[in-house]
Amino acid sequence: METVLRPLIVVGGAVALTLLVGWATDLLLRKADGSRGDTPLWDLLRRGRVPYQLVLCAALLRGSYDQARLFPEHRTGVGRTLTLVLIGAAAWLVIRIAAAIVETTYTRYARAHHDPARVRRVRTQVTLIMRVVSAIVGVVAVAAMLLTFPAMRAAGASLLASAGVLGIVAGVAAQSTLSNMFAGLQIAFGDMVRIGDTVVVDGEWGTVEEITLTFLTVRTWDERRITMPVSYFTSRPFENWSRGTPQMTGIVYWHLDHSAPVEAMREKLRDILRACPAWDGRAYGLQVTDSTPNTIQVRALVTAKDADDIWTARVTVREQMITWLAAEHPYALPRVNTADAVLPPHQAPSPDGNSFRRAYEFPRPGRG
């Protein structure tokens, strides 16, 4: 009877105590979240109740396993397994607590500051910080697990003795990876590019969707994803349309006939922009910027609050202006001149129509 009741009491008591303590802790966190609705800390901490209960249960079972006298011939293996579960659950719990603290800090900062650029910069930084913290905790947890095996402890001296050589070899082999990691930290704290920024890289326009320690993902306007190493942004020039203020000035070009009504086009541009929600009302303008023997180049400038609105304003102005010119001033559109050449005043046209050829005809040899 004792061989049955003792393991049942020890294991059942550990599980029951774990569930009771976990329920009490969750109840306290729920009450704290209800009374302090201004911070998401308590609700985020509740997400760590699973690793918290695993830590508590593994610790109780590890401490009371000898009294249970269950599988005595496998005591070493069961004890090591419980230790590994305890280390893994503890690392999981630390990552959850760190994520809750970092997310709470970011939420408070986002509520206190209304500048989208600064909020995106802090978001990029906390994302990379959490990745670094998770990597460090994971490495420490794996190292602690390995040290529970006697063979690993015995090999520790030789590993430390060869650490210098291995470090040099690993540094040379992982040079590209390490450069990307340092570039990721430089991007996070150098405020070069942030999550949500509108950038142009390799001729592709898109929004930064994800930044990690080694790569960066840009979502293009047609919903493609471009993934590139973060070292690209520290070694090559690129356009960041969200740097500073997101306000932008857009350009629209037309190639028109020399007789185009430029002044009427200025008035039409004003009417189009007044009816366009994407225009922010800051400025607009229309000028003739170039001319060729057949056409003139007309340029319109429009402003908008961000990259998305400037695109909408440009296409709206281009389409409606061409429609208006085709309907009201068709003569202003580009044409191919097919009229007869105008002769010089002293050269009268001949009846046979060959006066132009004769005017430029050279004397033939042997003729006066």
Side-chain angles (χ1 to χ4, degrees):
M1 182 65 68
E2 183 180 359
T3 59
V4 176
L5 290 178
R6 181 185 293 270
L8 185 60
I9 293 174
V10 173
V11 177
V15 174
L17 184 59
T18 298
L19 295 177
L20 180 62
V21 174
W23 173 80
T25 305
D26 186 70
L27 181 61
L28 292 176
L29 291 176
R30 190 184 298 112
K31 289 184 177 180
D33 182 49
S35 60
R36 295 291 303 275
D38 57 333
T39 174
L41 176 62
W42 311 112
D43 183 61
L44 293 174
L45 287 177
R46 290 183 59 201
R47 299 180 184 177
R49 58 182 177 269
V50 175
Y52 171 71
Q53 291 177 349
L54 281 177
V55 169
L56 187 59
C57 185
L60 291 175
L61 290 176
R62 185 67 182 88
S64 61
Y65 178 73
D66 293 337
Q67 285 73 26
R69 298 177 184 177
L70 184 64
F71 304 117
E73 65 277 6
H74 301 290
R75 182 178 62 180
T76 303
V78 173
R80 185 171 296 153
T81 302
L82 291 175
T83 302
L84 294 177
V85 173
L86 178 61
I87 294 174
W92 187 9
L93 180 61
V94 170
I95 293 175
R96 284 295 180 90
I97 294 175
I101 295 175
V102 171
E103 188 69 23
T104 301
T105 304
Y106 167 74
T107 303
R108 289 181 177 177
Y109 184 88
R111 290 177 180 176
H113 297 79
H114 301 285
D115 185 3
R118 296 179 63 182
V119 173
R120 290 199 306 270
R121 180 186 63 186
V122 174
R123 183 62 179 177
T124 303
Q125 293 175 353
V126 299
T127 301
L128 292 179
I129 288 175
M130 274 307 306
R131 293 183 184 274
V132 172
V133 171
S134 300
I136 293 175
V137 173
V139 170
V140 172
V142 172
M145 290 179 180
L146 293 177
L147 290 177
T148 59
F149 297 91
M152 294 298 176
R153 290 197 299 266
S158 59
L159 289 176
L160 290 176
S162 59
V165 178
L166 291 177
I168 295 175
V169 174
V172 174
Q175 182 179 2
S176 177
T177 303
L178 291 176
S179 64
N180 279 330
M181 291 181 63
F182 286 114
L185 295 176
Q186 183 179 354
I187 286 177
F189 295 97
D191 198 22
M192 299 173 57
V193 62
R194 299 151 299 196
I195 296 176
D197 281 2
T198 302
V199 297
V200 179
V201 290
D202 284 344
E204 296 284 351
W205 173 84
T207 304
V208 178
E209 188 175 52
E210 182 182 8
I211 299 177
T212 68
L213 287 177
T214 56
F215 67 89
L216 185 147
T217 303
V218 177
R219 179 172 56 85
T220 61
W221 63 272
D222 54 355
E223 297 185 356
R224 290 180 292 117
R225 265 70 175 180
I226 302 176
T227 301
M228 57 186 61
V230 293
S231 58
Y232 176 94
F233 293 87
T234 59
S235 59
R236 300 182 185 180
F238 64 95
E239 296 183 30
N240 189 344
W241 292 1
S242 302
R243 183 74 175 180
T245 59
Q247 298 174 347
M248 297 191 66
T249 299
I251 301 175
V252 181
Y253 286 105
W254 298 278
H255 293 275
L256 305 175
D257 189 78
H258 289 83
S259 60
V262 178
E263 190 61 35
M265 291 179 65
R266 291 192 179 99
E267 297 179 358
K268 183 60 178 179
L269 175 63
R270 179 193 59 197
D271 297 338
I272 293 174
L273 291 177
R274 286 179 177 176
C276 180
W279 182 52
D280 62 357
R282 287 189 296 122
Y284 73 95
L286 188 143
Q287 299 85 21
V288 178
T289 56
D290 198 4
S291 64
T292 67
N294 297 320
T295 61
I296 60 174
Q297 185 184 68
V298 181
R299 183 191 69 182
L301 298 179
V302 296
T303 59
K305 63 181 180 64
D306 54 28
D308 293 335
D309 282 354
I310 199 64
W311 172 263
T312 303
R314 289 175 60 196
V315 297
T316 301
V317 168
R318 184 182 295 110
E319 293 176 0
Q320 294 191 16
M321 185 67 74
I322 291 178
T323 302
W324 176 75
L325 288 174
E328 302 294 335
H329 304 278
Y331 59 88
L333 300 177
R335 295 174 291 175
V336 178
N337 295 325
T338 58
D340 294 337
V342 179
L343 298 177
H346 63 277
Q347 181 68 43
S350 62
D352 57 359
N354 295 325
S355 59
F356 181 77
R357 181 180 61 80
R358 292 172 181 174
Y360 294 96
E361 188 178 49
F362 293 98
R364 296 179 179 177
R367 298 178 60 181

